[in-house]
């Protein structure tokens, strides 16, 4: 496709809808940036759009069902406007590849997570009457040189992707197939993005990766193991703890968060960096998935129950009040009642502030789908999940109630969902806090006295505005 044709598609309107994890939402900001450079402006809603991109998730079957439903709905919109271009991007696009074009006749563009630079060209191909697909995965693409266009932003908090892909191959997980090999982004470009955000008035950034603890930069190119680096590469290399420190120092007035940690890889060095810098939040998302060592083994998580508990102890020894959250999967292949009880007891022991909890959903092509049968009946999975949720709700409520009477520092992110008279924000440990607006302003750090608590929210009153750190 020549540049004249690409230029001819200028000033059309693009509507992006994002599904799945924070990394996918962050990718949509990269997509908006790439399309913006080719003249596409953001549409206010789907009816105002010339191009609609669904940036999709494939992590569980219900995530894909949601997209299928959405496509059904878009069929009506496309009937009214036959020039409308519909693209399916992201993880579901990567998983299904050209099958998606066969199965969903209204889809014009299919693009995987590493082919977003090609999107203007793919749209131009559709203009020429073709249906366009690019699902090539890369070992190097990090989009590190691009300036993401912040979408649906509150202007206060933002994500920065620090790496892409995942090399872990947990047996249940589709991500290594949809996002490809792990690669880390140039730390200088990460620091620059943090400073740009600070200059635009943002107050908090979250560094994103599927397994941030294996972040390693040694000058570019596909990932190598640390011990396989040359002496010079080793000296110049930047690991996650080094990166966290660089970002904390570069933007000392901003809050820094990160996600996701892997229990096998999280190091004391990282937790010490967190303890050293007041602007790094005391909060770690540390998915256990299961509390039973045999199940963890068949999940290929590469740690045991005891190892996981050791990591929690290490974190609480260094940062006693650290907020810790978890992901749990109920009813993984072959899980017995006793093994499920081990998950409950690990949760009780760990006292997570909150958890994301799911029923196991078999994903075609994953090691678990190849090796095991999905043998836990749906009603058993459901009951186990309900037990897990009930326990987590009890723990969350107790932990939240223990904060009543205490003061915590909250960064105001915007209006509370329930009342325009209240602000909502989060404290250092990532608890959601709601309090009356009074004279406080969005983006301010405020000391809040906690007066009430629910399972998910702390409710209080603002005492005083405070300096960030
Ligand atoms: N990289 C992160 C999580 C990525 S996916 C990590 O390693 O923890 C987010 C969560 O979805 C996972 O932690 C897991 O709990 C859940 N998940 C992934 N695959 C799943 C599947 N096949 N069925 C149910 N839940 C799944
Ligand atoms: Fe999936 Fe495991 Fe990678 Fe997380 S670490 S994205 S669960 S393979
Ligand atoms: Fe994220 Fe879903 Fe892909 S969780 S990495 S968008 S499969």
């Amino acid at each position: 496709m020549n540049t004249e044709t690409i230029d001819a598609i200028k000033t059309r309107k693009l509507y992006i809808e994002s599904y799945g994890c924070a990394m996918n939402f962050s990718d949509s900001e990269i997509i908006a940036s790439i399309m913006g450079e080719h003249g596409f402006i953001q549409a206010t809603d789907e009816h105002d759009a010339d191009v609609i991109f669904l940036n999709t998730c494939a992590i569980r079957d219900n995530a894909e069902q949601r997209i299928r439903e959405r496509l059904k709905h878009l069929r009506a919109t496309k009937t009214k406007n036959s020039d409308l271009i519909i693209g399916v991007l992201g993880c579901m696009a990567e998983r299904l590849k050209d099958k998606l074009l066969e199965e969903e006749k209204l889809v014009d563009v299919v693009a995987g997570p590493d082919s977003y630079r090609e999107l203007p060209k793919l749209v131009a191909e559709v203009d020429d009457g073709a249906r366009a697909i690019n699902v090539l995965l890369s070992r190097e693409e990090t989009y590190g040189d691009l300036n993401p266009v912040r979408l649906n932003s509150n202007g206060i908090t933002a994500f920065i992707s620090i790496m892409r892909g995942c090399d872990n191959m947990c047996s249940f997980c589709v991500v290594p197939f949809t996002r490809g090999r792990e690669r880390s982004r140039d730390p200088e470009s990460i620091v620059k993005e943090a400073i740009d955000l600070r200059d635009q008035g943002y107050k908090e950034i979250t560094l994103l990766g599927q397994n941030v603890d294996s972040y390693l930069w040694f000058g570019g190119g596909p990932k190598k193991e640390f011990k396989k680096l040359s002496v010079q590469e080793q000296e110049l290399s930047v690991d996650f703890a080094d990166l966290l420190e660089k970002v904390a120092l570069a933007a000392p007035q901003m809050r820094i968060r990160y996600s996701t940690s892997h229990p096998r890889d999280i190091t004391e060095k990282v937790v010490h960096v967190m303890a050293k810098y007041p602007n790094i939040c005391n909060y770690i998302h540390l998915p256990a998935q299961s509390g039973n060592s045999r199940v963890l083994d068949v999940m290929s998580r590469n740690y045991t129950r005891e190892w996981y508990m050791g990591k929690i102890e290490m974190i609480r020894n260094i940062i006693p009040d650290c907020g810790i959250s978890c992901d749990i999967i109920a009813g993984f292949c072959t899980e017995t009642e006793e093994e499920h009880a081990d998950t409950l007891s690990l949760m009780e022991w760990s006292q997570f502030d909150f958890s994301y909890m799911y029923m196991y959903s078999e994903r075609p092509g994953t090691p678990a789908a190849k090796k095991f049968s999905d043998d836990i009946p749906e009603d058993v999975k459901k009951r186990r999940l309900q037990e897990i949720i009930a326990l987590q709700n009890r723990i969350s409520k107790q932990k939240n109630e223990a904060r009543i009477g205490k003061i915590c520092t909250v960064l105001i992110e915007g209006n509370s969902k329930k009342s325009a008279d209240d602000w909502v924000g989060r404290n250092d440990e990532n608890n959601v806090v709601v309090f009356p607006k009074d004279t406080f302003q969005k983006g301010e750090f405020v000391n809040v006295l906690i007066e009430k608590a629910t399972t998910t929210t702390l409710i209080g009153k603002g005492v005083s505005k405070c300096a960030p750190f």
Side-chain angles (χ1 to χ4, degrees):
M1 191 55 45
N2 61 38
T3 26
E4 277 152 45
T5 321
I6 296 176
D7 283 349
I9 59 175
K10 269 184 180 164
T11 64
R12 287 198 288 177
K13 289 190 182 168
L14 168 68
Y15 186 68
I16 310 179
E17 220 168 73
S18 310
Y19 297 81
C21 63
M23 302 212 61
N24 230 33
F25 281 73
S26 169
D27 277 6
S28 292
E29 305 187 328
I30 287 165
I31 294 163
S33 164
I34 292 167
M35 296 300 284
E37 278 170 20
H38 286 83
F40 282 81
I41 57 171
Q42 296 302 308
T44 42
D45 64 49
E46 64 180 88
H47 304 291
D48 177 40
D50 302 298
V51 176
I52 298 178
F53 284 159
L54 305 185
N55 190 9
T56 62
C57 173
I59 199 83
R60 284 168 289 278
D61 185 56
N62 58 11
E64 293 196 359
Q65 290 315 326
R66 231 178 122 199
I67 306 293
R68 303 260 189 204
E69 285 303 311
R70 189 68 184 106
L71 286 171
K72 252 188 227 160
H73 179 86
L74 285 175
R75 208 163 286 156
T77 319
K78 188 147 175 166
T79 317
K80 281 186 222 139
N81 171 10
S82 59
D83 290 338
L84 177 67
I85 293 178
I86 295 180
V88 177
L89 321 182
C91 291
M92 185 178 170
E94 188 64 50
R95 190 180 86 73
L96 291 168
K97 303 187 171 59
D98 46 4
K99 257 204 227 153
L100 201 53
L101 288 178
E102 280 161 34
E103 290 168 11
E104 302 284 350
K105 296 290 178 222
L106 84 163
V107 173
D108 304 295
V109 175
V110 170
D114 288 343
S115 62
Y116 296 151
R117 287 184 203 266
E118 295 293 301
L119 280 170
K121 202 175 102 195
L122 297 175
V123 169
E125 282 174 25
V126 176
D127 288 334
D128 285 351
R131 295 171 87 200
I133 177 163
N134 188 330
V135 285
L136 290 177
L137 287 171
S138 157
R139 298 193 69 166
E140 271 137 49
E141 179 64 89
T142 62
Y143 302 111
D145 56 315
L146 299 177
N147 291 319
V149 172
R150 306 292 159 187
L151 299 171
N152 303 318
S153 169
N154 58 16
I156 306 297
T157 59
F159 295 125
I160 302 183
S161 276
I162 63 163
M163 59 209 290
R164 298 184 71 80
C166 184
D167 280 353
N168 274 350
M169 293 302 273
C170 302
S171 64
F172 51 79
C173 186
V174 78
V175 172
F177 303 92
T178 63
R179 299 219 149 225
R181 299 301 300 270
E182 183 189 286
R183 64 223 98 122
S184 297
R185 176 178 167 192
D186 181 346
E188 293 315 316
S189 77
I190 296 168
V191 167
K192 182 179 169 297
E193 192 171 332
I195 290 171
D196 285 349
L197 285 165
R198 179 199 64 194
D199 293 347
Q200 289 167 44
Y202 284 83
K203 303 282 193 266
E204 180 182 299
I205 49 189
T206 303
L207 307 178
L208 294 177
Q210 293 296 355
N211 175 2
V212 292
D213 302 295
S214 71
Y215 176 92
L216 182 63
W217 176 261
F218 57 91
K223 189 186 173 189
K224 287 188 223 165
E225 269 178 68
F226 185 77
K227 53 181 191 278
K228 289 194 184 148
L229 301 181
S230 67
V231 176
Q232 198 196 6
E233 282 173 333
Q234 280 190 1
E235 269 169 22
L236 293 173
S237 73
V238 177
D239 65 14
F240 181 60
D242 302 330
L243 177 73
L244 199 54
E245 183 159 38
K246 271 180 192 286
V247 177
L249 285 168
Q253 299 302 304
M254 290 180 101
R255 263 186 178 176
I256 321 289
R257 299 186 187 275
Y258 64 87
S259 190
T260 297
S261 298
H262 194 294
R264 184 196 56 207
D265 297 329
I266 187 170
T267 61
E268 276 190 46
K269 186 177 167 192
V270 166
V271 185
H272 280 300
V273 169
M274 290 172 71
K276 182 169 169 195
Y277 294 95
N279 60 329
I280 305 177
C281 289
N282 290 331
Y283 166 66
I284 300 179
H285 184 53
L286 194 69
Q289 314 297 1
S290 164
N292 175 271
S293 296
R294 191 199 66 83
V295 175
L296 288 168
D297 184 41
V298 286
M299 285 178 163
S300 305
R301 288 289 288 181
N302 294 309
Y303 54 85
T304 60
R305 174 187 173 93
E306 291 69 32
W307 173 277
Y308 185 87
M309 292 164 97
K311 293 291 179 164
I312 298 269
E313 276 173 345
M314 178 275 282
I315 294 165
R316 294 210 166 118
N317 280 337
I318 300 170
I319 307 175
D321 295 328
C322 194
I324 302 179
S325 59
C326 189
D327 289 353
I328 302 279
I329 297 178
F332 185 64
C333 320
T334 74
E335 183 189 68
T336 65
E337 283 305 320
E338 292 71 33
E339 290 166 341
H340 162 63
D342 283 346
T343 296
L344 297 174
S345 73
L346 180 77
M347 292 171 70
E348 189 79 69
W349 182 89
S350 304
Q351 294 287 300
F352 300 120
D353 293 82
F354 68 94
S355 295
Y356 298 101
M357 301 156 281
Y358 314 100
M359 278 198 291
Y360 172 59
S361 164
E362 185 178 78
R363 307 313 290 130
T366 54
K370 287 186 186 154
K371 264 192 274 173
F372 312 111
S373 82
D374 183 9
D375 58 351
I376 308 300
E378 186 82 0
D379 57 331
V380 176
K381 278 188 194 170
K382 260 195 195 136
R383 195 250 309 142
R384 289 183 190 169
L385 179 65
Q386 271 156 12
E387 288 173 9
I388 287 168
I389 292 173
L391 173 59
Q392 183 58 58
N393 285 348
R394 175 167 67 69
I395 295 170
S396 296
K397 185 128 200 282
Q398 277 169 356
K399 290 202 78 171
N400 283 349
E401 279 171 352
R403 294 181 194 270
I404 294 174
K406 294 189 176 152
I407 288 179
C408 56
T409 304
V410 178
L411 169 60
I412 301 177
E413 293 175 23
N415 286 338
S416 134
K417 268 189 221 139
K418 284 198 184 143
S419 160
D421 296 332
D422 292 339
W423 290 125
V424 68
R426 280 168 298 153
N427 66 6
D428 202 303
E429 292 77 25
N430 211 30
N431 299 112
V432 174
V433 184
V434 171
F435 60 101
K437 285 187 173 171
D438 291 332
T439 55
F440 303 111
Q441 300 296 319
K442 186 170 159 181
E444 282 179 349
F445 288 84
V446 176
N447 283 326
V448 178
L449 172 68
I450 304 305
E451 297 174 319
K452 277 196 282 183
T454 70
T455 310
T456 53
T457 314
L458 301 174
I459 302 145
K461 77 163 182 263
V463 177
S464 58
K465 192 179 143 178
C466 55
F469 306 103

